[in-house]
Amino acid sequence: MQRERLGSRLGFILLSAGCAIGIGNVWKFPWMARENGGGIFVLIYLIFLIALGVPVMTMEFAVGRAAQKSPVKIYNELEPKGSKWHWHGYLAMAGNYILMMFYTCVSGWMLNYFVSTASGKFDGKNPQQIETAFDSMKADPVQQIVFMAIVVVIGFTVCSIGVQKGLERVTKYMMLALLAIMVVLAVNSIFLDGGKEGLTEYLIPDLTKINTPKKAITVITGAMTQSFFTLSLGIGSMAIFGSYIGKDRSLLGESVNIAFLDTFVAITSGLIIFPAAAAFNIDENLAGPSLIFVTLPNIFNNMPLGRLWGSLFFVFMSFAAFSTIFAVFENIVACTTDLFKVSRKKACLINTIVMFILSLPCALGYSLFKDFHPFGEDTFVLDLEDFIVSDIMLPIGALVFIIFCVTKYGWGWKNFKAEANSGKGLKVANWMRGYLTFVLPVIVIILLISRIASKF
């Protein structure tokens, strides 16, 4: 069977960026930047993005393009005979499923809040009522299951149409709309009366945040962690799109473009949130889900044309969520077709049912399973699933990709470099070999250990 292809370079960049761009860009990056020195955090983040995220992304793209297979089969095409690298392919496939087990539920929250905001459900509500509404939504099993199911059905329906006609076409328009809505929202926030203070706090470097060794380490490790996890590297989410493109562009340059788009969304999210928070004197719960589902609805309630701006914001959030859903679902579908030799439509139908069932524990995590607290009070099924993927599978997977691409026991440096440098654009240089072989793996190991230690 001939492998499908993406129709354009723009489609490849927007699909790959869409996979990287997700909910975490909005509710984690702005808060981390604000709490860790503003502009100085952003600068350190960008350094680690180039030094850590871009090389691993380039490697994922390279193995995908060279193998022309999904993550579950890429190693079978490239590994030395008799080696066991292909075991990681099955772990990568499992990682995509576990990621979607909670991401479909959170994406359902975004759709739910778009409907609620557009219909005026939050109009005139005080902060306590809005917080109660969020808790009630999570504890309502019917709402959770219905909106999760809608996300699953939409996601696999788009993937069933095909790579070009479904996935690429829908994602291209959705991502362009997402970027346009973000710019409109950011301009509106920046020019609010009193918004300048929030803008200054968010972006101007605060050197007091790094005036002691302990503070400096906190800021540096925070920037390193965010730069890695923002790109969703390690479970083959990028490798699949490498398998859908030709060899006319080098992969390092494309990785830089995608990292730039991801960073643009993350920084612009802060330009939406913090000027608005300052303008309306709201300086609490500016992190995590509370930021999106409690603090921001309060801000929109106080804002002229608040229902319009709130609706636009949750459209943007839904698009950001679906950009990741479509990309990872495509990974799951490609793995299924490669592994079981079934048609795309049959793979989508099977996975619609499987994904719905697998997502139920998270959807019911605040009702039926509300007494399950894996990491102590205020942690739920979602937190456990997120930990397994984000803190364990992503860094271990990234480490496997690195070692596979640089060692003679894997695919090897020469093969990786030749594939990555095929086409026009930025090239992987020979001087990078020492860094990618000896330094980058150590950074990822430190990251893995620090993430596990932070939980226990």
Side-chain angles (χ1 to χ4, degrees), residues 20 100 195 205 245 294 441:
M100 290 295 100
I245 59 171
V294 177

Side-chain angles (χ1 to χ4, degrees), residues 3 188 391 428 445:
R3 191 155 190 82
N188 178 68
D391 295 345
V428 175
I445 290 170

Side-chain angles (χ1 to χ4, degrees), residues 16-169:
S16 301
C19 184
I21 293 166
I23 298 162
N25 290 69
V26 181
W27 74 31
K28 190 171 184 181
F29 177 87
W31 165 73
M32 289 190 70
R34 178 175 175 267
E35 292 298 304
N36 289 285
I40 194 69
F41 174 88
V42 174
L43 177 61
I44 297 171
Y45 165 83
L46 291 174
I47 291 171
F48 275 115
L49 193 70
I50 297 298
L52 178 59
V54 168
V56 179
M57 183 185 293
T58 303
M59 291 171 177
E60 276 208 35
F61 283 146
V63 295
R65 189 167 73 174
Q68 293 290 291
K69 297 288 184 182
S70 66
V72 78
K73 288 292 185 180
I74 51 176
Y75 294 104
N76 300 71
E77 300 294 318
L78 305 177
E79 67 183 358
K81 189 175 181 179
S83 60
K84 304 298 182 183
W85 293 96
H86 59 275
W87 289 2
H88 177 243
Y90 297 102
L91 289 175
M93 184 178 179
N96 283 274
Y97 277 107
I98 299 170
L99 172 61
M100 290 295 100
M101 284 165 62
F102 66 89
Y103 209 92
T104 51
C105 297
V106 179
S107 300
W109 298 356
M110 300 303 168
L111 281 183
N112 193 329
Y113 261 62
F114 164 67
V115 173
S116 297
T117 304
S119 64
K121 179 179 178 180
F122 301 125
D123 291 357
K125 296 288 178 68
N126 62 43
Q128 184 60 48
Q129 289 172 320
I130 290 176
E131 185 171 2
T132 300
F134 178 49
D135 293 335
S136 298
M137 178 202 71
K138 290 190 296 181
D140 184 340
V142 175
Q143 282 192 67
Q144 292 290 291
I145 291 173
V146 167
F147 280 96
M148 176 270 286
I150 292 171
V151 169
V152 171
V153 170
I154 291 174
F156 282 117
T157 299
V158 169
C159 289
S160 71
I161 300 171
V163 172
Q164 279 193 36
K165 293 181 180 179
L167 185 67
E168 182 177 4
R169 180 181 293 175

Side-chain angles (χ1 to χ4, degrees), residues 193-331:
D193 290 337
K196 186 177 179 181
E197 281 185 30
L199 193 63
T200 300
E201 185 181 13
Y202 174 49
L203 290 180
I204 300 300
D206 181 2
L207 298 181
T208 63
K209 297 289 186 180
I210 57 169
N211 61 2
T212 67
K214 184 177 180 180
K215 288 181 178 179
I217 290 171
T218 300
V219 172
I220 291 169
T221 54
M224 178 175 69
T225 301
Q226 182 64 15
S227 70
F228 179 79
F229 291 108
T230 188
L231 297 176
S232 301
L233 302 170
I235 55 174
S237 299
M238 294 298 173
I240 188 62
F241 299 117
S243 75
Y244 290 150
I245 59 171
K247 296 180 182 286
D248 56 325
R249 304 293 304 193
S250 65
L251 297 174
L252 180 60
E254 302 297 73
S255 297
V256 170
N257 291 331
I258 292 158
F260 171 80
L261 266 181
D262 181 79
T263 303
F264 172 80
V265 170
I267 292 176
T268 307
S269 297
L271 299 181
I272 296 169
I273 294 164
F274 290 105
F280 297 102
N281 298 312
I282 295 176
D283 192 33
E284 59 184 58
N285 293 326
L286 288 175
S290 294
L291 166 63
I292 304 298
F293 300 108
V294 177
T295 303
L296 286 176
N298 280 325
I299 291 174
F300 295 131
N301 259 356
N302 289 287
M303 190 181 291
L305 300 175
R307 189 192 295 189
L308 170 64
W309 296 116
S311 299
L312 277 176
F313 179 82
F314 283 107
V315 166
F316 146 59
M317 286 301 299
S318 297
F319 284 177
F322 269 113
S323 69
T324 301
I325 292 285
F326 291 152
V328 179
F329 275 12
E330 175 59 27
N331 219 344

Side-chain angles (χ1 to χ4, degrees), residues 98 101-102 358 361-362 381-390:
I98 299 170
M101 284 165 62
F102 66 89
L358 290 177
C362 184
V381 173
L382 185 153
D383 300 283
L384 175 61
E385 293 172 348
D386 185 22
F387 170 72
I388 292 170
V389 177
S390 300

Side-chain angles (χ1 to χ4, degrees), residues 14 32 236 243 405 424:
L14 291 177
M32 289 190 70
S243 75
C405 287
K424 298 181 293 183

